[in-house]
Amino acid sequence: MKTDCIQLDHGAGGRASHELVARAFLPALTNPILAELNDAAAMTLDGLRLAMTTDSYVVDPIFFPGGDIGSLAVHGTVNDLAMRGARPLYLSVGFILEEGLVLADLERIVQSLAAAAREAGVQVVTADTKVVPRGKADRIFINTSGVGIIPPGVHIAGQNARAGDRVLINGPMGDHGVAVLSKREGLSFQTELESDSAPLNGLVAAMLGASREIHVLRDPTRGGVATSLNEIARQSKVGIRLEESRLPVRPAVTAACEMLGLEPLYVANEGKVLAFVAPEDADSVLAVMGSHPLGREACAIGEVVEDHPGRVVLETEIGGTRIVDMLSGEQLPRIC
Ligand code: MG
């Protein structure tokens, strides 16, 4: 494999993506805000704390069970703002269209994008369209950027995990990745599973109403829960201990992963949030999550420890331990 060219691995959100950022982007672009490498940047303007983020969507297929590239482009960006505790307000949308895209498909995607924005309470306030010749893109790619306001007193960042924090998740892992793969050409398996793609800002607002001791929030998208937890362990210089018996996975995801040779811990989610909460507030935050439609299956999956800083360790169901590393290699190209 050529090492001097971009590989699919570089887009997988795991180790190769991090290496690419460190080699090609950070040296040229770095500043204190970018260097934090959080889901959204946080900036203070005239006393107002703004969150800003951007993301591009290249999912294949463009329509999948539980969503499409239009709703995904809203949810992903709204969620990255929510992961700073921000109230998402405004989005920009850039469309890159391939010559030959069926107009009815574009209209369906735009309707879905608009419905997702209404549901999340955000407005698309600026947009752009480009068309490239047939074969120079795959039907449609979408970029969205978003801005929101971080309420006073909310300080959530990947750097803020501390020993003792409980690690919570709002439901089972891997639904999005498996739902998208189930419709991919060349991979034929049947599942009733739908993507978990959803806007998390309402759930996060409810959680913040229950506790100001929420230290970290992260949506485990590409690279899955395992990669997100490794990022947080490194950013906060803490260890994370997971209990295998507590990791929530639907039977349909377990079955699909076994067939495809995947691990649910590494499969993408688009409606999940990992929350690091001070131990004294963990139960009240879990209760609030459990009474929200997007958190009915919320549970605690582990805790932050002083041991093994920068590493995530899994206590297995048979009583052993193993290190859970970041995703390495390309597991699922074009999953989001
Ligand atoms: Mg994110």
Side-chain angles (χ1 to χ4, degrees):
M1 189 186 281
K2 280 189 190 171
T3 54
D4 56 350
C5 295
I6 291 295
Q7 313 289 334
L8 279 172
D9 282 15
H10 288 125
R15 186 177 303 135
S17 300
H18 285 81
E19 286 168 2
L20 182 68
V21 168
R23 173 177 171 172
F25 300 131
L26 274 182
L29 301 175
T30 199
N31 58 64
I33 300 172
L34 180 69
E36 287 192 348
L37 298 179
N38 280 308
D39 287 306
M43 297 150 292
T44 303
L45 288 182
D46 267 352
L48 203 60
R49 292 173 64 230
L50 282 187
M52 179 179 178
T53 191
T54 190
D55 214 325
S56 300
Y57 300 86
V58 298
V59 66
D60 173 35
I62 54 179
F63 301 102
F64 50 83
D68 57 56
I69 193 170
S71 54
L72 186 65
V74 170
H75 295 157
T77 291
V78 161
N79 292 348
D80 278 342
L81 293 170
M83 297 305 114
R84 294 308 297 266
R87 185 160 67 91
L89 292 172
Y90 301 113
L91 300 187
S92 73
V93 184
F95 295 97
I96 296 170
L97 310 178
E98 182 193 13
E99 176 190 17
L101 173 68
V102 175
L103 198 53
D105 284 348
L106 175 63
E107 288 167 345
R108 187 176 154 198
I109 288 164
V110 173
Q111 288 300 328
S112 167
L113 187 151
R118 278 194 299 276
E119 187 195 353
V122 296
Q123 287 178 284
V124 174
V125 292
T126 184
D128 176 57
T129 308
K130 297 288 189 296
V131 179
V132 298
R134 200 180 292 270
K136 304 294 184 186
D138 188 2
R139 290 162 294 166
I140 178 169
F141 299 149
I142 301 178
N143 172 275
T144 48
S145 295
V147 294
I149 291 178
I150 303 174
V154 172
H155 296 278
I156 295 171
Q159 287 76 11
N160 292 353
R162 14 187 133 137
D165 283 354
R166 300 291 188 266
V167 181
L168 316 179
I169 189 167
N170 62 319
M173 306 183 295
D175 294 4
H176 176 74
V178 169
V180 169
L181 282 181
S182 73
K183 294 296 174 210
R184 193 160 288 173
E185 267 177 65
L187 283 178
S188 59
F189 65 96
Q190 297 298 315
T191 177
E192 297 296 300
L193 208 71
E194 293 201 335
S195 168
D196 61 346
S197 184
L200 293 168
N201 50 323
L203 173 65
V204 167
M207 292 162 67
L208 287 170
S211 170
R212 283 298 160 99
E213 291 297 327
I214 297 174
H215 299 149
V216 184
L217 295 171
R218 186 147 299 173
D219 53 340
T221 53
R222 282 176 308 176
V225 167
T227 300
S228 290
L229 292 178
N230 270 279
E231 290 168 358
I232 294 162
R234 289 173 196 194
Q235 285 179 287
S236 291
K237 302 180 178 66
V238 295
I240 297 173
R241 192 177 61 84
L242 291 180
E243 287 181 55
E244 188 172 36
S245 61
R246 290 173 175 256
L247 294 175
V249 189
R250 294 187 205 287
V253 169
T254 303
C257 284
E258 278 172 9
M259 207 181 78
L260 298 167
L262 302 173
E263 255 198 86
L265 267 171
Y266 293 93
V267 178
N269 310 275
E270 291 291 345
K272 291 297 169 307
V273 52
L274 293 163
F276 286 59
V277 183
E280 63 273 18
D281 282 10
D283 285 342
S284 52
V285 173
L286 262 183
V288 162
M289 293 168 84
S291 60
H292 189 279
L294 295 176
R296 286 210 185 92
E297 296 167 90
C299 59
I301 59 173
E303 63 180 347
V304 178
V305 294
E306 283 172 10
D307 297 341
H308 52 79
R311 287 194 180 279
V312 180
V313 170
L314 182 74
E315 289 196 356
T316 65
E317 281 171 301
I318 54 166
T321 59
R322 71 176 169 92
I323 289 174
V324 174
D325 208 344
M326 214 171 245
L327 175 67
S328 71
E330 174 57 80
Q331 194 181 26
L332 308 168
R334 295 183 60 191
I335 208 71
C336 59

